[in-house]
Each structure stands twice: as C-alpha cells, then as structure tokens.
Amino acid sequence: MNVLEISKLKVGETRSSRLDETPPKLSQAEKDALVQQYHPDYIKEAYGTIRVGMNKGEQTVHRVVSLLEGESPLASESIRLEAKQQVDVLIIGGGGAGSMAALAAKASGASVLMTTKLRLGDSNTVMAEGGMQVAVSPEDSPVRHFLDSLRGGQMANDKILLKTLVEEGPSVVKWLIDNGVMFDREEDGNLSLRPGGGSSKARLVRCKDYTGLELMRVLKDCVLNEQIEVLEYMPVLELLTDEAGGCSGAILKNLDTNQHFVVQAKTVIIATGGIGRLHIQGFPTSNHYGATGDGLPLSYRAGAKLTLQDTFQYHPTGAVFPEAMAGILVTEAIRSVGAHLLNVNGDRFIGEMETRDAVASAIIRECAEGRGVETPSGRKGVWLDMPLVDTLNGAGTLEDRFPNMVKQFSRYEIDITKEPVLIYPTLHYQNGGVEVDVDGESGVNNLFVAGEASGGLHGRNRLMGNSLLDIMVYGKRAGEAAAKRATSTEYKSITLQHLDRFHEAQKEAGVIPDTVSPILFPDYVNKS
Amino acid sequence: MTATSTEGVAPKQITIEVMGKFYQVPEGLTMLQAMWHTGHELTRGVGCLGGICGACSATYRTKDSIKIKSTLACQTLIEDGMSFSLVHTYYPNRKIPYDFKEMEDPKQDLFRYYPEAALCRNCNTCTLACPKGIDVRAAVWKAVFGDFEECAEHFMPCVMCSLCVPVCIADIAPNQVGVFVRRAQGIFFENKSPQLKNRVDEIEKGVYDQEWERVLNLSDAQLLAD
Ligand SMILES: Cc1cc2nc3c(=O)[nH]c(=O)nc-3n(C[C@H](O)[C@H](O)[C@H](O)COP(=O)(O)OP(=O)(O)OC[C@H]3O[C@@H](n4cnc5c(N)ncnc54)[C@H](O)[C@@H]3O)c2cc1C
Ligand code: FES
C-alpha cells in the first residue's frame, strides 16, 4: 500500500474520535499571522509594480501587471472606425452580471446589445454551487451581514457599496423567485438557510449544489424571452472613447470569421468576470475557460482606475486528484455541514468555517511543512472527509444536497459517500477589480463595470455567497443607471485616442509590453 | 501550468481517434484535455470545464462497440481505442418567446408553446442521450400530465446541452420544456416565503436606519469589536 492509501485509511480510523472535537477559533492576531505567512497574496516575489496608467506605482501579481501594461490587439492592424451597429447600452459578457444588466437596461427603456466571448451563460456564474448570502431570517439583519462581510474583507470594503448590497439583497432575491428561481425551501415555505464561512448567522440560500446553474438558466431564459440581441463568440478587443475621454463603444471580434465588428454605444457595461484562467502563481483554477480577466486591461487602457487589484481568493478546497479534476471546486457548503479537513496523519488542523483566506493558508502550511499527501502526478493536498457529512446528518445527505458533487467524482470511480477526497487551494476569485461607484460607473464617463470584474465591495477577501448577490444587485443597478444615462444623451464620436495616450505613457515609462491583452483564452495547446 | 499537467510518473500511452485522425496520448486525460494535448485549438466546444454549462457536447464510440454515445467532453476520460468528436458547431434550436406575466394556467399554456410535447412516442432516445443522467422521457410525460413539481425535480441538473433535441422523433425540445416547467413551477406553485417578505418590507420602512446610522459612524477598531 502506498502513502496515499495508508493516509486515507487513517482518515477512516480517526472519523469517530473526531466527532466531538472542535479546533479552537483563531483570534484575529493568530489569523493575521497565519495568512501573512502562507497566503499567496503575501508572497512578495509574485508581485511587481504597475508602471503606467491610473494605478501607476501600485502592486499586483506579475501576470496582471503584464496584462495591464499590455499591447492592444489592434496595435498592429488598421481598423476602419465605422459603426456596424448603434445601441444605447452595450453589455460585454454573458454571465450573471451581464444578463442582469441587460434585463434591467431593457426594462428601463433602453436598446440593448449583449456580446460575449463564449455562449450566453458560459461563465463563472453557471458554476456556482454553494449559494447566495442574503439576510432574511428573523435572527439576522442586513447590518449583521454588513459587519460579517466587512470583517471577512479585512475592513477594506467600500462601505457604501457593501451597505447597498446587503440592503438590496432581499428584494433582488424576491425578484429572482418571482421569475421562477427555485431556491431550496423549508416546510413552511421560508427559504432554507445554511451557514457560510465567516458568517455569524445562517444566510446562504441555494438550489442544492446547482445554484449557479439554476440562476443562469432562468436569467438566460429571461434574456431570450425579452429578445435581447446576443452576439456569441464575439469578444471585445478594445473599447472606444470620445473626444472628452468618455466611453463610446467597443471593437468586437467575430471568432468564426476573424472579422472586426465596431459598435457605437451611448453607455458600455463591462461584465467580463474573473481571472482564474491566468493561473496566477501556478495555481489550478475553478473558473470557466473564458476567465482571463479581459475587463481589466480593457478598462485600464481606457483610463479607469482599479482597486484592490493585488488580492485574489484561493478557494481552500479545489480537487487535486484525479488529475483530470485538478482545480475543480468542492463547495464550501460541504464544510458547513460538517466535513473535516485532515492532514496526512488524519489530524484536523484548522476550524473548517474560518474565512477562506485562513483555511487556504492553513492547508498550504500543512503541505509546506510536510503534512500533506502527494498525488501520483506530484500535486500535494490534504483530505476533505466527505463521508462524515452523512455520519453527522444522516445517510443520504450527500446524495440529496450535493448530487452534482457525488456525480462528478463518481465519473472517476470515487464514491464520496465512502471515501475522503484530496484537495488543495484553487484560484477562485478576483477580490478587487475596476473601481466603481454605487451605480457601477467607473472613473471613465459612461463606462460601467459590474460583477467580478469590478472591485471594492468585497474588500480583500470575499465572503462565500456574496458574489452571486453582488452580480444580481450590481448587474441590475448598472443596467438601470446605464440605461438612464443612455436615454438622455446623444451618440458621441468613436475614437482610439485613449490608446494613443496609453502608448505615450508606455513610452514615457520605458515600458515595452510583453503581452497582447486581453488574452481571451488560456493557452493549453501542446505545441510540440 | 496547463490543464493537462502530467509531471511525475510517466502515464501509459494509449491510442485515440479524434475526428478521424489517430493520436497517441497519455491516459488519464479528459476528451478536451486530449484535444489540447494533440494540438487542437478550441474556441467553440469549451465553456465551464466543470460539466455544468453544456458547451462541450460530444459523440463517441468505444473500441469494438457499434454504439455511438453522447457525452460532455470535459467530463469524459479517454480510453484506448476510443473515437470521438465534439458536436461543437451549433444547434439551430428554436426558442419561442413567452411571458409568464400573461399566463394564468401554465399547465395548459405549455401546449400553446410546445404542442409537440404531447406527442412523445416513448422511444427513450432522449434519456439515452442525456449526459446528466436525467430521465428525460419520464420528465416530459410528467410535464404533459401536469405534474410540474416532479418534472421540475427531474430537470434540476439540466445543463441545456441540447443533446436530447436532435434525437427526438417527435420534434420535442425536452430541455426547453424543462426550463418552461421549472420556471412555471417556481412562479405559480411554490410556497411564498413569509420571512423574505417581512425583510423586504422592513428595509423599505427603514427599520434598520438607526442601526445603520450608528454602525456607519463607528471607527474600524470599533467595528471590529462590535
Ligand atoms: C466553481 C465556482 C463556484 C462558485 N460558487 C459560488 C457560490 O457558491 N456563491 C457565490 O456567491 N459565488 C460563487 N462563485 C463566484 C461567482 O460565481 C462569480 O464570481 C460570479 O458568478 C461572477 O459573475 P460575473 O457575471 O461577474 O462573471 P461571469 O459569470 O464569469 O461572466 C463573465 C462573462 O464574460 C464573458 N467574457 C469574458 N471576457 C470577455 C470579452 N473579452 N468579451 C466578451 N465577453 C467576455 C465570459 O465568457 C462570461 O460569459 C463561484 C465561482 C466558481 C468559478
Ligand atoms: S465545458 Fe461546460 S459542460 Fe463541459
């Protein structure tokens, strides 16, 4: 028997003796020390200084620095800036934030065009499992939700954005229900609520472990029923600006024909989501194929400012075995119903419901200090004791509440109702992003940003379930604000003057771009 | 770092056929990973890479089998002698717009939008085609007989890959029926949540205004202690 098998047996052996054990809750000081020593956000060598643009002089990871300083894909081509289509509101990105924005903008009376890199709905949104935070129980309040999120975010959250999020949460959930989203319920009709990491009250609403799928399916159906025009496989390569520096449209690329498509718009909403597929610091990722952070260089070159661009969320529990599943998320909800984390000796080493930054750091510590388990392909991980969920909550709980997870592992002949799985932190979420106001507007006039591409709301660490709420609340707000602006203004000129300015700045700072950005897709193709 | 990282022990090489061409690849890869490994650039045919978006529908045949099966390529491990192709072109599906606000009896309206749903001839190819293991045929029958609750339950894991659509001899689009039924069930037949309604009302009435006033005036140190 190999080390992995022996260690797996230990997990089974210690299961019953661990039942009543609770690891002590970390004090703020202990947590800070743990995170600062092990969390990837604190690895100095991984960071560089941004040399041009609004965040000049600030830090982020090398990969993002090179995207922000990158060359526009249009630099080597001559483009005729003649609008093929005119629209009040152009929405970039077909995930949850984009769909919500499109619906809201349409409902506010604007003409809407949505363009997306893959198909409508192929996104991080569709992948969400755990659920959405909303303070609805009588023991809970929006203020509690606010305080928990602020603490989780290391007090770096934009308080006005956060207050708006928690206050508008319940009504946006009501809107979703009124449109047919089937959240799990209690017998009395109330929403079934579960605790999430870093939350003092149970406030996670969900649809088994298909929350994102359910939300996206409904939103997509709404977008199609509203007959909103959607361009698929048409990513944006560059924004367009007017003489005054405001945003006035975008240049798209038809991936089937390689032709450019120029759109003139009165307002533009970027809803391009996160960055997982950049594989920052070599981490595997839970994100969809299109999560290459395109919204960041696009808005940055147009003159927008980013905030908290140096902080990323590494979800504590990404699968590391089998290799084909590396990076795939194992939802935090599994821990919230009792699954333990164990090192190679079958010992617990962290309270499972500490915030994500702390739990991820503790797992990295165990592996760095030789208490991890090595997989056949050389990855390291620790155990997540899934069968314990059934022991604690009754047989059949996993099958009933996490059917997707059971199915996913069973494809590789792993029965999670009987055996633990190996996990390691996976690159999951971009905590920061483009700085926006409470209507989602960026520093560039008429350029709105919503969802994971924006930053500020979540501080330095997003709490589980706050992102789905974010995309709903701020997708809607951005859609409404952009529509309002658009229906009371005229079309402006479409130019690439911002690129000229950016090139000047690059020259001045002596920056020679080493990447063309946005990159659109990760490069997985074997060239040999 | 790539999705097909294979450092460590050298895995066994196997032979697969991708769209009519043969390749040697290490075992343990999914179909999509094998395509990258063999140099295929992919735009269409990839989405979430997590088995939940339905972008990567594929058909395949295993060694010595005469059966052509369908699956999700991001979720299927290749095996020696397997032959496969993505169905990644595009399904020219028809989508009929509807508005639930105009409906009074969605169980009848189902037949207005999807009259063919009642014509199922029980061939069961939809169920066989479903990569998520949904009993599609049973679910469609439930819809037809007005058991929306049960139908909705069946379609919960539907990723809208559309593999059930072209195989239907009665021209039903079962996945579209599924979305219609689930939304109708949610809008018309689920219980209301009294707690949610209360909270929305409370916020509207400004019940928390005072507490906000207090909290927003606290310093960070006070907030941490609160
Ligand atoms: C596996 C997983 C599980 C999660 N679970 C939860 C959870 O339980 N609770 C929670 O709150 N959050 C969860 N999250 C986070 C949450 O799902 C996302 O942060 C959120 O859905 C992001 O929504 P979005 O609309 O901003 O971006 P996305 O949903 O990712 O949509 C972005 C869209 O933009 C498109 N796009 C990208 N670049 C371009 C371009 N250049 N041009 C045009 N289009 C482009 C993309 O293809 C995509 O369609 C999870 C995330 C993942 C990956
Ligand atoms: S890529 Fe989404 S289901 Fe396979």
Side-chain angles (χ1 to χ4, degrees), chain A residues 28-215:
Chain A
Q28 192 61 42
E30 285 168 327
K31 191 166 127 181
D32 290 348
L34 174 67
V35 168
Q36 280 163 28
Q37 191 171 356
Y38 291 102
H39 195 277
D41 275 2
Y42 291 85
I43 307 294
K44 285 213 176 60
E45 307 79 75
Y47 281 77
T49 306
I50 306 166
R51 293 169 295 175
V52 287
M54 292 299 284
N55 295 78
K56 186 172 172 170
E58 295 177 22
Q59 298 265 307
T60 186
V61 289
H62 295 304
R63 189 76 177 108
V64 175
V65 172
S66 82
L67 285 193
L68 295 178
E69 294 181 349
E71 188 60 88
S72 167
L74 303 181
S76 56
E77 302 181 49
S78 63
I79 299 265
R80 224 163 18 117
L81 288 183
E82 206 173 276
K84 282 243 178 69
Q85 196 161 339
Q86 283 189 322
V87 71
D88 286 341
V89 184
L90 171 66
I91 290 164
I92 308 172
S99 302
M100 203 65 188
L103 292 168
K106 172 97 196 284
S108 308
S111 63
V112 178
L113 174 67
M114 199 171 175
T115 190
T116 187
K117 187 159 66 182
L118 299 162
R119 303 174 314 165
L120 174 60
D122 296 350
S123 60
N124 280 1
T125 301
V126 77
M127 305 183 79
E129 298 170 6
M132 180 156 94
Q133 297 249 20
V134 56
V136 292
S137 83
E139 303 84 58
D140 199 3
S141 82
V143 183
R144 281 260 121 242
H145 187 180
F146 174 88
L147 291 170
D148 287 345
S149 306
L150 201 56
R151 263 174 230 152
Q154 299 168 20
M155 310 301 284
N157 316 52
D158 179 317
K159 296 198 179 89
I160 297 305
L161 292 183
L162 185 56
K163 173 175 186 280
T164 307
L165 177 86
V166 299
E167 275 206 309
E168 295 192 357
S171 59
V172 91
V173 168
K174 183 169 178 306
W175 184 92
L176 290 168
I177 292 173
D178 291 346
N179 278 281
V181 171
M182 291 174 67
F183 291 111
D184 293 357
R185 304 298 188 93
E186 299 295 345
E187 293 292 322
D188 59 6
N190 281 316
L191 293 163
S192 169
L193 302 170
R194 299 226 182 278
S199 297
S200 60
K201 295 280 184 277
R203 65 172 77 95
L204 208 54
V205 299
R206 75 209 173 282
C207 321
K208 296 203 191 271
D209 59 349
Y210 294 111
T211 312
L213 174 62
E214 169 72 351
L215 290 171

Side-chain angles (χ1 to χ4, degrees), chain A residues 39-40 58 149 168 182 204 229 303 330 342-343 349 376 384 406 410 425 451 458 498 504 512 515 522:
Chain A
H39 195 277
E58 295 177 22
S149 306
E168 295 192 357
M182 291 174 67
L204 208 54
E229 188 181 353
V330 177
L342 307 154
N343 62 22
F349 53 87
L384 182 64
V406 172
S410 74
H458 303 290
H498 62 285
E504 266 321 297
I512 300 162
T515 312

Side-chain angles (χ1 to χ4, degrees), chain B residues 27-101:
Chain B
E27 66 175 2
L29 304 179
T30 64
M31 287 177 171
L32 288 184
Q33 289 167 341
M35 290 188 77
W36 283 317
H37 189 87
T38 50
H40 293 83
E41 301 266 358
L42 299 175
T43 46
R44 286 181 182 262
V46 200
C48 66
L49 293 171
I52 206 80
C53 78
C56 63
S57 43
T59 54
Y60 71 102
R61 196 171 52 75
T62 50
K63 198 174 183 171
D64 301 330
S65 166
I66 56 163
K67 223 176 169 50
I68 293 184
K69 296 188 191 162
S70 52
T71 193
L72 295 175
C74 72
Q75 297 289 291
T76 309
L77 286 181
I78 48 162
E79 41 182 280
D80 191 46
M82 184 186 252
S83 173
F84 70 91
S85 170
L86 290 174
V87 195
H88 59 43
T89 36
Y90 175 75
Y91 285 110
N93 289 337
R94 183 175 59 141
K95 160 72 192 170
I96 306 149
Y98 46 76
D99 183 354
F100 284 108
K101 287 195 198 74

Side-chain angles (χ1 to χ4, degrees), chain B residues 133-207:
Chain B
I134 299 170
D135 190 343
V136 184
R137 179 186 54 161
V140 170
W141 277 112
K142 292 287 177 194
V144 170
F145 283 120
D147 189 347
F148 274 23
E149 190 175 353
E150 186 89 2
C151 173
E153 185 77 19
H154 276 297
F155 276 115
M156 170 67 124
C158 174
V159 299
M160 304 295 287
C161 68
S162 292
L163 280 167
C164 56
V165 183
V167 298
C168 179
I169 54 173
D171 300 323
I172 304 170
N175 59 346
Q176 300 285 357
V177 171
V179 172
F180 179 93
V181 168
R182 282 189 63 84
R183 291 192 59 200
Q185 174 68 21
I187 295 169
F188 293 88
F189 308 115
E190 291 284 283
N191 290 328
K192 297 283 169 259
S193 161
Q195 288 180 353
L196 178 63
K197 183 175 181 306
N198 277 350
R199 185 52 43 85
V200 172
D201 291 348
E202 279 178 3
I203 291 171
E204 227 161 69
K205 282 195 211 116
V207 169

